[in-house]
Amino acid sequence: MTLPQGRGERAFLTAEWRELAMLNHAIDPSVLAPLVPRGTELDRWEGTAYVSVVGFRFLSTRVLGVRVPGHADFEEVNLRFYVRRREGAESRRGVVFIRELVPRRAIAWTARVMYNEPYLALPMRHSIERSADGEPRDVRYEWRRAGRWEHLGVRVEGQPAPLVPGSEAEFITEHYWGYTRQRDGSTVEYRVEHPSWRVWDAASSTLD
């Protein structure tokens, strides 16, 4: 995954995203309407608006090519929804974050102050149960809030499959733009590059 600065410039942020666990919930569009950044519109899959709770491992993180000691590998859990913005004939499908949890205070502070991203630092941990061939089978991300551990977990079976064009999984995962509302009401747009992921359908899931 990379967050490029602009055409011809090197990426601001590069990292590996590993073991993504994604729980997706249909939601009344009117709940999200006040959160839609200026210049974008709510995106839907087959007429349904979604929010997603996503947990994953941020690995080998580099800022402008530099690895920051103690801040290269960490967990993140976020709550997000989906928008699109029209740029001429192009329709840019993107993500808006409602909340992003990380265990590093410096990361949360920088993201809030410099980019107005809704980060919050909390104690976090994860556990991953793997099959004999090394594939993840049970993935769990936890964060400590108000004196107790909350969690997101999924269990998968079988083998991962490529994304099917037009599927719900493709709608959830294939976004290459991010949008953030600024304090003055304007919108920041940034581009995200990542390969097309293989996906499992969860056999079971939990969210506390």
Side-chain angles (χ1 to χ4, degrees):
M1 182 277 296
T2 63
L3 297 182
Q5 289 183 295
R7 189 178 299 277
E9 300 180 13
R10 65 174 174 167
F12 172 72
L13 175 71
T14 63
E16 297 178 14
W17 287 351
R18 298 291 183 184
E19 283 87 34
L20 281 83
M22 312 178 78
L23 301 185
N24 312 300
H25 303 270
I27 190 170
D28 183 341
S30 66
V31 176
L32 298 177
L35 305 176
V36 175
R38 182 186 300 171
T40 70
E41 59 185 84
L42 195 61
D43 200 6
R44 296 170 171 85
W45 182 72
E46 295 189 348
T48 300
Y50 282 89
V51 291
S52 300
V53 185
V54 182
F56 63 97
R57 299 168 66 210
F58 235 124
L59 302 178
S60 301
T61 306
R62 295 178 183 271
V63 178
L64 296 175
V66 177
R67 184 184 179 99
V68 181
H71 293 76
D73 301 335
F74 52 91
E75 303 91 348
E76 177 172 322
V77 172
N78 63 59
L79 175 64
R80 71 188 205 180
F81 67 98
Y82 306 98
V83 298
R84 64 173 64 235
R85 186 178 80 84
R86 303 195 182 278
E87 179 69 19
E90 179 186 5
S91 182
R92 295 180 174 178
R93 298 179 54 235
V95 170
V96 178
F97 294 103
I98 300 172
R99 173 63 74 196
E100 297 169 86
L101 305 179
V102 292
R104 301 286 189 267
R105 292 183 180 179
I107 293 171
W109 183 88
T110 301
R112 287 197 308 268
V113 172
M114 297 185 64
Y115 303 104
N116 203 36
E117 287 281 1
Y119 271 83
L120 177 64
L122 292 174
M124 298 182 72
R125 63 190 183 189
H126 72 276
S127 62
I128 300 174
E129 178 185 313
R130 299 184 184 276
S131 62
D133 59 4
E135 296 282 17
R137 283 292 174 256
D138 194 292
V139 179
R140 184 181 176 101
Y141 294 97
E142 298 180 274
W143 57 96
R144 188 171 178 82
R145 186 174 67 94
R148 63 183 296 270
W149 286 97
E150 301 171 339
H151 74 270
L152 155 69
V154 298
R155 184 165 188 85
V156 300
E157 298 173 349
Q159 295 300 312
L163 290 168
V164 176
S167 65
E168 180 187 59
E170 183 193 47
F171 171 81
I172 295 295
T173 61
E174 292 292 274
H175 292 85
Y176 296 93
W177 298 92
Y179 296 95
T180 305
R181 176 184 290 172
Q182 300 301 289
R183 296 175 183 85
D184 63 0
S186 64
T187 300
V188 167
E189 175 187 79
Y190 56 91
R191 184 164 51 92
V192 181
E193 297 176 353
H194 65 81
S196 182
W197 290 312
R198 302 176 304 157
V199 296
W200 285 266
D201 286 331
S204 61
S205 64
T206 58
L207 177 65
D208 178 4

